[in-house]
């Protein structure tokens, strides 16, 4: 493949890990990133990018523009950044330091001072490394349940998706203390609730979110944070009592006994999950059928969904249900199912006028 040398204008606007300030062991970034800084970086560097737009006028991911053409008109994505700038929002950490184009665990931690929440956001699938994680449905019975105190419902054997769990529980490359990715992120978030003067004592909420693979990671991360909170663990001492996951197109991430643990934490008030899924999106399903099942490790029949489900239809009001696990065969529509999985399709359905009264 061709390689190019790109000289971005003022990269320090969004790449703050290279600043002079001493680096926290819990963060990659040394300074916060604001929407205004992102917008300025976009304006200064439009010539390096082009923005594909689909037939409905929705913007896709930016692509490298080999022609390096100056552009005076704003990209559609810049309008979204302007909208975000209406809130007093700051990215306090964003870590993709050891991830390449084929994937890897990527997350951000955002503080919204206007709406009084902190959000952990996980990126979805982008390449072959992520796809290898996606397909590993073997059950991990240990990583999130490595002591008796981690299991609240007796008699069960909770297990979680091996691929997603490994992403979270692998050692974080470059971490000073050799911690798991999960533990480092939790430490970052706990410190924000403990020490950020804009947050302390102001009843901020904690949300965890993501699309597809990112949704699966959000489910597991929220669960582990709630599990630790229920056990009064020091690592989450300053987190609020309730952790809320808001996921889009999340695959199933655990078996029935994992769901029992999940429901225990729901009933205790430590955990909430709003799971948004599109009708005819096959990714948030179980019992995956051929030919896709031929690439799967493990038994997808053992998996189930968690939380409140907002099931989005293409042209009518959404359906609200609880758990509502669906089989892949019931949602498969060749060749459109992957189109229904895209973020742009989720955005379109979320914004349907018929759904506004439900929100």
């Amino acid at each position: 493949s061709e390689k190019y040398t790109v000289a971005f204008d003022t990269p320090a606007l969004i790449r703050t890990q290279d600043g002079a300030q001493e680096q926290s062991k819990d963060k990659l970034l040394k300074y916060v990133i604001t929407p205004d800084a992102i917008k300025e970086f976009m304006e200064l560097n439009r010539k390096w990018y082009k923005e594909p737009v689909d037939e409905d006028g929705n913007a896709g991911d930016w692509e490298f523009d080999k022609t390096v053409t100056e552009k005076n008109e704003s990209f559609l994505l810049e309008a979204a950044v302007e909208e975000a700038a209406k809130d007093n929002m700051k990215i306090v950490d964003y870590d993709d330091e050891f991830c390449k184009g084929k994937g890897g665990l990527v997350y951000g931690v955002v503080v919204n001072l206007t709406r009084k929440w902190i959000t952990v956001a996980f990126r979805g699938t982008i390449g072959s490394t992520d796809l290898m994680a996606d397909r590993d449905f073997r059950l991990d019975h240990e990583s999130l349940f490595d002591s008796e105190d981690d299991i609240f419902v007796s008699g069960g054997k909770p297990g979680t998706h091996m691929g997603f769990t490994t992403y979270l529980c692998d050692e974080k490359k470059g971490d000073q203390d050799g911690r798991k990715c999960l533990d480092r992120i939790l430490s970052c978030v706990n410190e924000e609730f403990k020490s950020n003067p804009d947050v302390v004592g102001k009843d901020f909420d904690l949300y965890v979110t993501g699309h597809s693979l990112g949704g699966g990671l959000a489910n597991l991360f929220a669960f582990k944070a709630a599990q630790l909170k229920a056990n009064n663990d020091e690592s989450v001492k300053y987190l609020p009592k309730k952790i809320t996951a808001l996921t889009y197109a999340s695959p199933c991430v655990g078996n029935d006994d994992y769901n029992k643990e999940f429901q225990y934490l729901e009933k205790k008030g430590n955990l909430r999950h709003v799971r948004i899924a599109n009708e005819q999106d096959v990714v948030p399903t179980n019992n995956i059928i051929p030919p896709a099942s031929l690439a799967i490790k493990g038994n997808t029949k053992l998996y189930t969904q968690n939380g409140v489900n907002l099931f989005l239809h293409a042209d009518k009001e959404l359906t609200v249900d609880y758990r509502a696990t669906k089989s892949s065969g019931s949602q498969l529509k060749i060749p459109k199912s992957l189109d229904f999985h895209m973020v742009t399709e989720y955005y379109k359905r979320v914004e349907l006028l018929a759904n506004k009264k439900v929100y």
Side-chain angles (χ1 to χ4, degrees), residues 205-218:
D205 294 317
L206 175 58
Y207 292 94
V208 192
T209 191
H211 170 266
S212 192
L213 161 65
L217 295 171

Side-chain angles (χ1 to χ4, degrees), residues 4-140:
Y4 298 85
T5 299
V6 176
F8 287 123
D9 190 333
T10 324
L13 287 165
I14 61 168
R15 187 177 170 83
T16 72
Q17 59 264 46
D18 298 327
Q21 182 174 307
E22 184 177 351
Q23 191 164 34
S24 163
K25 69 176 185 177
D26 296 327
K27 299 176 183 177
L28 177 64
L29 299 184
K30 293 184 177 180
Y31 310 98
V32 300
I33 301 172
T34 65
D36 286 337
I38 296 172
K39 185 173 183 298
E40 183 178 350
F41 176 82
M42 290 176 166
E43 291 171 349
L44 292 171
N45 292 283
R46 285 190 196 124
K47 66 182 180 182
W48 297 109
Y49 296 101
K50 56 184 177 181
E51 184 179 56
V53 178
D54 65 20
E55 59 187 19
D56 295 318
N58 297 309
D61 292 336
W62 279 15
E63 298 174 356
F64 177 61
D65 184 357
K66 292 186 288 187
T67 68
V68 193
T69 303
E70 294 287 352
K71 304 170 186 72
N72 295 319
E73 291 188 10
S74 299
F75 288 129
L76 293 176
L77 183 57
E78 291 178 66
V81 174
E82 286 183 9
E83 186 67 25
K86 293 178 181 178
D87 284 354
N88 187 356
M89 188 185 304
K90 301 174 182 177
I91 301 173
V92 298
D93 199 22
Y94 175 82
D95 198 334
D96 64 351
E97 187 74 354
F98 296 98
C99 298
K100 306 300 181 183
K102 295 181 180 179
L105 180 69
V106 175
Y107 67 91
V109 180
V110 180
V111 177
N112 189 314
L113 301 179
T114 304
R115 301 178 187 271
K116 296 175 66 175
W117 49 246
I118 292 178
T119 294
V120 180
F122 292 97
R123 187 180 71 181
T125 300
I126 66 161
S128 59
T129 300
D130 292 337
L131 288 170
M132 294 298 287
D134 293 342
R135 74 186 187 94
D136 193 351
F137 278 83
R138 292 174 296 172
L139 285 169
D140 181 336

Side-chain angles (χ1 to χ4, degrees), residues 30-328:
K30 293 184 177 180
Y31 310 98
V32 300
I33 301 172
T34 65
D36 286 337
I38 296 172
K39 185 173 183 298
E40 183 178 350
F41 176 82
M42 290 176 166
E43 291 171 349
L44 292 171
N45 292 283
R46 285 190 196 124
K47 66 182 180 182
W48 297 109
Y49 296 101
K50 56 184 177 181
E51 184 179 56
V53 178
D54 65 20
E55 59 187 19
D56 295 318
N58 297 309
D61 292 336
W62 279 15
E63 298 174 356
F64 177 61
D65 184 357
K66 292 186 288 187
T67 68
V68 193
T69 303
E70 294 287 352
K71 304 170 186 72
N72 295 319
E73 291 188 10
S74 299
F75 288 129
L76 293 176
L77 183 57
E78 291 178 66
V81 174
E82 286 183 9
E83 186 67 25
K86 293 178 181 178
D87 284 354
N88 187 356
M89 188 185 304
K90 301 174 182 177
I91 301 173
V92 298
D93 199 22
Y94 175 82
D95 198 334
D96 64 351
E97 187 74 354
F98 296 98
C99 298
K100 306 300 181 183
K102 295 181 180 179
L105 180 69
V106 175
Y107 67 91
V109 180
V110 180
V111 177
N112 189 314
L113 301 179
T114 304
R115 301 178 187 271
K116 296 175 66 175
W117 49 246
I118 292 178
T119 294
V120 180
F122 292 97
R123 187 180 71 181
T125 300
I126 66 161
S128 59
T129 300
D130 292 337
L131 288 170
M132 294 298 287
D134 293 342
R135 74 186 187 94
D136 193 351
F137 278 83
R138 292 174 296 172
L139 285 169
D140 181 336
H141 297 287
E142 298 178 0
S143 293
L144 300 188
F145 304 96
D146 57 0
S147 77
E148 291 183 0
D149 292 339
D150 292 334
I151 297 179
F152 300 111
V153 182
S154 61
K157 192 176 181 182
T160 56
H161 186 286
M162 182 75 74
F164 303 157
T165 306
T166 300
Y167 260 29
L168 283 174
C169 294
D170 266 359
E171 181 179 319
K172 176 72 176 74
K173 292 181 181 178
D175 185 76
Q176 295 177 23
D177 300 326
R179 292 172 294 180
K180 299 175 183 177
C181 296
L182 173 68
D183 294 336
R184 173 164 161 148
I185 302 168
L186 279 171
S187 184
C188 170
V189 175
N190 191 61
E191 187 63 28
E192 289 300 313
F193 278 100
K194 175 186 176 183
S195 303
N196 188 330
D198 293 324
V199 174
V200 175
K202 296 178 181 176
D203 296 323
F204 271 57
D205 294 317
L206 175 58
Y207 292 94
V208 192
T209 191
H211 170 266
S212 192
L213 161 65
L217 295 171
N219 180 320
L220 294 172
F221 181 90
F223 171 83
K224 187 60 183 180
Q227 180 196 69
L228 290 166
K229 196 69 183 176
N231 278 326
N232 296 313
D233 194 281
E234 282 292 310
S235 67
V236 293
K237 179 178 180 179
Y238 297 97
L239 266 56
K241 177 185 177 182
K242 181 181 69 177
I243 292 87
T244 301
L246 177 64
T247 67
Y248 297 83
S250 172
C252 299
V253 303
N255 62 5
D256 284 330
D257 286 337
Y258 171 73
N259 184 63
K260 290 176 183 177
E261 298 292 322
F262 201 98
Q263 289 179 316
Y264 173 89
L265 293 169
E266 286 180 312
K267 292 173 183 176
K268 192 174 172 64
N270 293 118
L271 182 60
R272 292 290 182 270
H273 183 197
V274 179
R275 183 178 68 85
I276 301 170
N278 276 347
E279 183 178 19
Q280 296 180 328
D281 179 359
V282 295
V283 172
T285 63
N286 69 358
N287 194 13
I288 297 172
I289 60 176
S293 62
L294 300 177
I296 297 295
K297 291 181 179 179
N299 185 357
T300 61
K301 292 180 182 179
L302 300 177
Y303 281 74
T304 188
Q305 286 286 8
N306 322 102
V308 175
N309 176 220
L310 303 186
F311 193 54
L312 303 179
H313 307 284
D315 54 5
K316 63 180 181 180
E317 183 180 310
L318 63 85
T319 303
V320 181
D321 206 340
Y322 182 68
R323 293 179 58 206
T325 308
K326 294 177 172 56
S327 67
S328 66

